[in-house]
Amino acid sequence: AQSVTQPDIHITVSEGASLELRCNYSYGATPYLFWYVQSPGQGLQLLLKYFSGDTLVQGIKGFEAEFKRSQSSFNLRKPSVHWSDAAEYFCAVEGGSYIPTFGRGTSLIVHP
Amino acid sequence: SAVISQKPSRDICQRGTSLTIQCQVDSQVTMMFWYRQQPGQSLTLIATANQGSEATYESGFVIDKFPISRPNLTFSTLTVSNMSPEDSSIYLCSVEEGGKSWRRTFGSGTRLTVV
């Protein structure tokens, strides 16, 4: 069975500061890993994904994530946060069932 | 990527009634999915709807409570039946173009409040 944990319910950062959102997964092999963003009243938008190869993945809106097998982690990072980045962020893991399991989400608050 | 139109965007319903949520896609897709997002929770898959066959429900979800229709390759409905306040959630439809998970798109969701 696959599972994913996002340990932080809320993260507050100042605009222009760096950001790291944590995601840990559990799966017996190397899974597919995703980060999605959900703005208020919107559906989920794919930020980036990892399937194989380079463990540092670049996504849209200046986000990147690094897959670390030894730590079973796939943390999302951005060097400089903009006020428009305030949203809910979901990590998802997909194993052999090809059905994703989502984390409970991390709410990002950006202070001016 | 596919564009999904989901209706209604929100509704407030009386307990005991039913609500049907519509999901329209601008291209033909084989697999459509319905998710529930309870307040402060992650997304939970309710069922997978393939055109021309019965929907496949995940553990904890049953057809009598969440009947699904999939009449063609661009449209699906989810009905939340005999609603109770515990059904208050956001319901989202999702599609995967070409059966590829990296081409997964979500609708904007239906925010349901049951009073």
Side-chain angles (χ1 to χ4, degrees):
Chain A
Q2 63 203 32
S3 65
V4 60
T5 301
Q6 290 180 251
D8 303 306
I9 298 175
H10 303 284
I11 290 283
T12 301
V13 299
S14 298
E15 190 168 17
S18 63
L19 170 70
E20 182 170 32
L21 301 183
R22 295 184 291 166
C23 173
N24 293 95
Y25 70 89
S26 175
Y27 184 65
T30 299
Y32 295 168
L33 294 160
F34 306 82
W35 274 101
Y36 291 88
V37 61
Q38 184 181 34
S39 298
Q42 302 296 314
L44 276 71
Q45 180 183 21
L46 181 65
L47 285 175
L48 46 78
K49 59 189 181 293
Y50 172 79
F51 289 166
S52 64
D54 193 344
T55 57
L56 185 61
V57 179
Q58 302 297 320
I60 63 171
K61 303 185 179 186
F63 286 92
E64 66 177 25
E66 186 171 12
F67 170 61
K68 293 185 176 180
R69 185 191 308 275
S70 61
Q71 299 177 18
S72 297
S73 69
F74 189 57
N75 294 348
L76 181 71
R77 302 193 295 248
K78 187 171 184 177
S80 178
V81 171
H82 188 262
W83 64 266
S84 61
D85 292 325
E88 192 84 14
Y89 291 81
F90 292 91
C91 180
V93 60
E94 186 175 311
S97 68
Y98 302 106
I99 294 175
T101 298
F102 290 85
R104 64 178 178 179
T106 297
S107 178
L108 175 62
I109 301 165
V110 181
H111 281 315
Chain B
S1 59
V3 176
I4 299 175
S5 174
Q6 189 173 335
K7 296 179 181 180
S9 59
R10 59 178 63 230
D11 207 341
I12 300 174
C13 300
Q14 297 290 323
R15 69 177 66 199
T17 63
S18 298
L19 176 72
T20 295
I21 302 168
Q22 299 180 0
C23 182
Q24 179 75 54
V25 190
D26 69 345
S27 59
Q28 294 184 339
V29 292
T30 302
M31 302 176 76
M32 295 182 76
F33 305 87
W34 287 98
Y35 287 86
R36 181 174 71 183
Q37 184 180 13
Q38 293 179 300
Q41 302 294 321
S42 67
L43 280 74
T44 302
L45 181 64
I46 297 172
T48 303
N50 292 332
Q51 194 268 337
S53 63
E54 294 280 334
T56 302
Y57 289 82
E58 297 300 304
S59 177
F61 298 96
V62 295
I63 188 171
D64 290 345
K65 176 67 175 177
F66 298 101
I68 289 171
S69 78
R70 183 78 202 275
N72 56 52
L73 291 172
T74 64
F75 187 78
S76 178
T77 67
L78 169 76
T79 299
V80 186
S81 303
N82 188 25
M83 289 183 285
S84 66
E86 291 71 34
D87 294 319
S88 298
S89 290
I90 297 173
Y91 293 85
L92 299 113
C93 71
S94 174
V95 302
E96 290 184 358
E97 294 174 82
K100 306 299 184 183
S101 55
W102 61 87
R103 298 181 68 184
R104 184 180 298 129
T105 307
F106 288 84
S108 57
T110 296
R111 182 178 294 273
L112 170 62
T113 302
V114 184
V115 298

